[in-house]
Amino acid sequence: MADENEKVEQEAKASGAGSKADVDRQDQTQDEQGAPSEQAPMLSPLMQDVVDGLKAHLPGLKPTARDDEWVEINVEADALKEVALTLRDRLGFDYLSMISAVDYRDEGFEVVYHLLSLLANKKLVIKVRLADRENPTAPSVVDVWPTADFHEREAWDLMGVRFEGHPDLRRILMREDWEGHPLRKDYVDDRAPRERQTRETYYESYIAKGRSK
Amino acid sequence: MSKTLDRIDQVGAVGEIRSEDLFINMGPQHPSTHGVLRVLATFDGEVVKSAKADVGYLHRCFEKIAEKRQLVQVVPYTDRTDYLSAITNELCFVMAVEKLLDVEIPMRAQYIRFIMAELQRIASHLLFFGTFALDLGAVTVFLYAWRERERLLDIFESVTGARMLYNYLRIGGVRNDVFDGFEKVVEGFLDDLEKRLREYHNILTGNRIFETRTKGVGVVSAEDAIRYGASGPVLRASGVKYDVRKAEPYLLYDRYEFDVPVRTEGDCYARYIVRMKEIEESIKLVRQALADMPVGGKIIGDVPRRIKLEGDTYARVDSPRGEVACYLVGDGSDQAYRLKWRSPCFVHLQLLELMAKGRLVADLVASIGSLDIVMGEVDR
């Protein structure tokens, strides 16, 4: 805890003097946009840092640099847990911003993790492709980042992606007895449309109900 | 007295004293849950043993609707996620689209957006100030906060035509220019608010009852705040100096000077102080922006007639409640293929058990209030 406070104070100092560094970084990205024909585009120092770290600790992955300051990696579902632990413990990605699930129809599902390193201000996207449409399953990362709990429940609820090892994988936004996963592209709401009630029909049904009692 | 003792003796004679945990549904209709939050709580006497949030009572399929609408038509839906800071929500969505389309926003529109976003922060924090005090039983404060917020809503109404749900931002700029004399009206409001802020601190901040109800209550350590994905004032009150406005400056935040208020206690009081300090910072920011706001010029950039959304992007905004983010995927059509919304309150509700465990019932109410929850945003 004392460590944490120290870090925070350091960060406070750094961000006070950091505005200049930010400006430098922006200049660099502008240069980058100015000369798009270059073979190996210059990365901003922070992105370079992320890429170097990934190469050192997770040599199997191929990081790609996106032009909006995020570094992107594609990970196999089986390897996700290990990668997540390495990212948190070795590379300082302590903050999970969001988990999104996307339905790509025939190409299966994609689960996207947006990670931040709060103190170093590094950014990383993990994309996990799940080809199995019938039963898409990814390992849960709740024990790596506890905030994943609600996000994973939501992904299960609305998209039907199962997270193995999640302590309590229930529906979160929809009703518990809801059938199907509404955000899937092939989801059809096949409930019969409700009949339009007029004042007369409403009272009729109301009276009928009363009589049956 | 003696009667009770007798009874205890009798019970003891037959067997040991039985005690049982009490399960209580707090909400979904409960005045202190800010809408329709249901807390599944078990109590041992008056001590909270567990408190789990159950959400979804206000689910409106925002993400599904967004896939079926034109992009401009999605903007009013974003208003309705967090209806107390509609501009920042619109901003997040519009920024995501602009990132994909690579649209340049005219300077005048940037300034209008910037000023409106910061005014929105003040309005939202004023509402927090009122309702948080109301949760703790101080009714007077609510009326004062409402008085100032009302003036702010009048300004919003004059600019956008609506008091809370504006539908004001457009892809590439804003819908209409501000009225003549906007600067003067806002300046006048800020001057008054600054004086009134001192009044607010007098009425609530030093209050003994308020302090006992909030200090040391609902503590979240810096470590837990990061692990559980807290953001905005909740994260900053736990001692982590992180603000999207500094870390990833959008709009004009890299041009103007402002501090990021931080407290290290991580309790309800710290969250309250951080929000009050943020009002001061917002006043500072709006003043600076008003001073060099360009006069005249375009308010909407060159947006292509035929929109083609391609690729994916992640836009982040620091809303009054925390980090609002939007993951937008396009498939080459003019509609969003997938829109995923990050709502800070949804994430913050996971902290509830941590904050309330082992504390009294009244502290659970204070904890919920200090998170400044908007259920419309949690359930989307």
Side-chain angles (χ1 to χ4, degrees), chain B residues 77-340:
Chain B
Y77 286 101
T78 59
D79 279 343
R80 282 146 184 84
T81 55
D82 178 358
Y83 39 80
L84 297 180
S85 62
I87 291 278
T88 37
N89 288 281
E90 288 178 14
L91 183 63
C92 181
F93 172 70
V94 166
M95 263 168 58
V97 178
E98 281 158 3
K99 258 177 158 181
L100 281 186
L101 293 179
D102 220 2
V103 181
E104 204 169 309
I105 302 119
M107 223 41 203
R108 171 108 179 146
Q110 290 259 36
Y111 272 87
I112 296 175
R113 281 181 180 189
F114 181 76
I115 292 168
M116 295 296 266
E118 282 310 311
L119 288 179
Q120 184 80 84
R121 187 182 308 276
I122 296 175
S124 175
H125 282 345
L126 279 176
L127 186 130
F128 161 79
F129 172 67
T131 52
F132 183 46
L134 194 65
D135 281 344
L136 301 175
V139 185
T140 325
V141 182
F142 184 73
L143 304 173
Y144 282 94
W146 232 244
R147 180 184 62 190
E148 254 55 69
R149 184 166 173 271
E150 202 57 38
R151 274 183 74 183
L152 209 41
L153 292 188
D154 284 344
I155 296 176
F156 278 120
E157 195 179 4
S158 321
V159 175
T160 68
R163 283 158 55 81
M164 285 174 80
L165 306 166
Y166 310 113
N167 189 12
Y168 180 59
L169 264 48
R170 287 285 174 271
I171 295 152
V174 293
R175 190 182 67 211
N176 57 279
D177 211 328
V178 294
F179 56 89
D180 287 339
F182 171 75
E183 290 90 343
K184 243 188 192 155
V185 175
V186 176
E187 280 280 5
F189 168 73
L190 293 181
D191 291 343
D192 285 354
L193 181 67
E194 215 164 37
K195 276 178 227 144
R196 295 274 160 77
L197 270 180
R198 256 169 273 150
E199 225 173 84
Y200 294 166
H201 282 299
N202 282 342
I203 197 172
L204 195 64
T205 309
N207 188 312
R208 278 277 292 282
I209 302 171
F210 178 73
E211 284 191 356
T212 18
R213 286 291 304 273
T214 53
K215 274 191 176 167
V217 171
V219 180
V220 179
S221 68
E223 221 174 3
D224 283 334
I226 294 176
R227 284 170 64 228
Y228 280 91
S231 53
V234 180
L235 183 66
R236 274 168 242 146
S238 294
V240 183
K241 188 162 181 165
Y242 184 83
D243 190 328
V244 182
R245 294 176 291 173
K246 288 274 191 205
E248 193 185 318
Y250 53 97
L251 288 181
L252 308 161
Y253 287 107
D254 47 351
R255 290 192 180 194
Y256 295 117
E257 210 178 291
F258 68 105
D259 291 331
V260 179
V262 180
R263 298 281 288 204
T264 47
E265 298 93 329
D267 54 5
C268 295
Y269 186 76
R271 286 189 276 279
Y272 160 75
I273 292 291
V274 164
R275 290 205 174 89
M276 294 310 276
K277 284 262 168 62
E278 275 184 15
I279 295 182
E280 286 167 31
E281 296 306 318
S282 293
I283 293 176
K284 230 157 86 182
L285 276 171
V286 176
R287 281 222 177 103
Q288 291 176 60
L290 280 176
D292 47 342
M293 185 163 158
V295 183
K298 275 174 24 172
I299 51 161
I300 196 145
D302 298 321
V303 185
R305 267 286 159 91
R306 220 183 146 65
I307 287 175
K308 254 178 98 179
L309 276 188
E310 254 167 319
D312 60 337
T313 192
Y314 195 59
R316 301 194 295 147
V317 162
D318 189 76
S319 105
R321 256 151 279 279
E323 179 187 323
V324 168
C326 166
Y327 180 60
L328 185 67
V329 184
D331 64 341
S333 73
D334 56 353
Q335 292 173 353
Y337 183 75
R338 172 87 167 97
L339 177 87
K340 176 78 171 71

Side-chain angles (χ1 to χ4, degrees), chain B residues 5-142:
Chain B
L5 282 177
D6 281 353
R7 279 185 61 195
I8 288 175
D9 279 351
Q10 279 168 16
V11 173
V14 179
E16 69 271 36
I17 301 173
R18 263 182 351 112
S19 75
E20 210 170 79
D21 288 345
L22 181 66
F23 172 78
I24 287 181
N25 266 313
M26 192 170 144
Q29 271 84 34
H30 189 277
S32 78
T33 55
H34 295 244
V36 281
L37 169 67
R38 177 176 169 221
V39 182
L40 305 161
T42 44
F43 299 102
D44 179 10
E46 214 185 325
V47 180
V48 180
K49 284 191 86 177
S50 79
K52 286 208 159 34
D54 182 25
V55 300
Y57 288 89
L58 214 56
H59 183 50
R60 309 179 302 291
C61 328
F62 161 59
E63 287 166 13
K64 187 78 179 173
I65 293 171
E67 289 174 9
K68 309 264 169 175
R69 296 279 189 278
Q70 300 290 319
L71 291 170
V72 180
Q73 290 177 311
V74 178
V75 176
Y77 286 101
T78 59
D79 279 343
R80 282 146 184 84
T81 55
D82 178 358
Y83 39 80
L84 297 180
S85 62
I87 291 278
T88 37
N89 288 281
E90 288 178 14
L91 183 63
C92 181
F93 172 70
V94 166
M95 263 168 58
V97 178
E98 281 158 3
K99 258 177 158 181
L100 281 186
L101 293 179
D102 220 2
V103 181
E104 204 169 309
I105 302 119
M107 223 41 203
R108 171 108 179 146
Q110 290 259 36
Y111 272 87
I112 296 175
R113 281 181 180 189
F114 181 76
I115 292 168
M116 295 296 266
E118 282 310 311
L119 288 179
Q120 184 80 84
R121 187 182 308 276
I122 296 175
S124 175
H125 282 345
L126 279 176
L127 186 130
F128 161 79
F129 172 67
T131 52
F132 183 46
L134 194 65
D135 281 344
L136 301 175
V139 185
T140 325
V141 182
F142 184 73

Side-chain angles (χ1 to χ4, degrees), chain A residues 96-138:
Chain A
L96 174 66
S97 180
M98 179 159 79
I99 300 177
S100 345
V102 189
D103 181 358
Y104 284 106
R105 296 203 172 93
D106 295 337
E107 292 154 47
F109 293 90
E110 194 170 70
V111 186
V112 185
Y113 300 78
H114 285 93
L115 294 178
L116 299 170
S117 155
L118 289 195
L119 299 181
N121 199 12
K122 296 189 283 194
K123 299 184 246 176
L124 180 73
V125 191
I126 308 179
K127 289 188 174 173
V128 180
R129 195 49 87 105
L130 309 170
D132 181 8
R133 243 199 109 70
E134 292 305 308
N135 193 16
T137 313

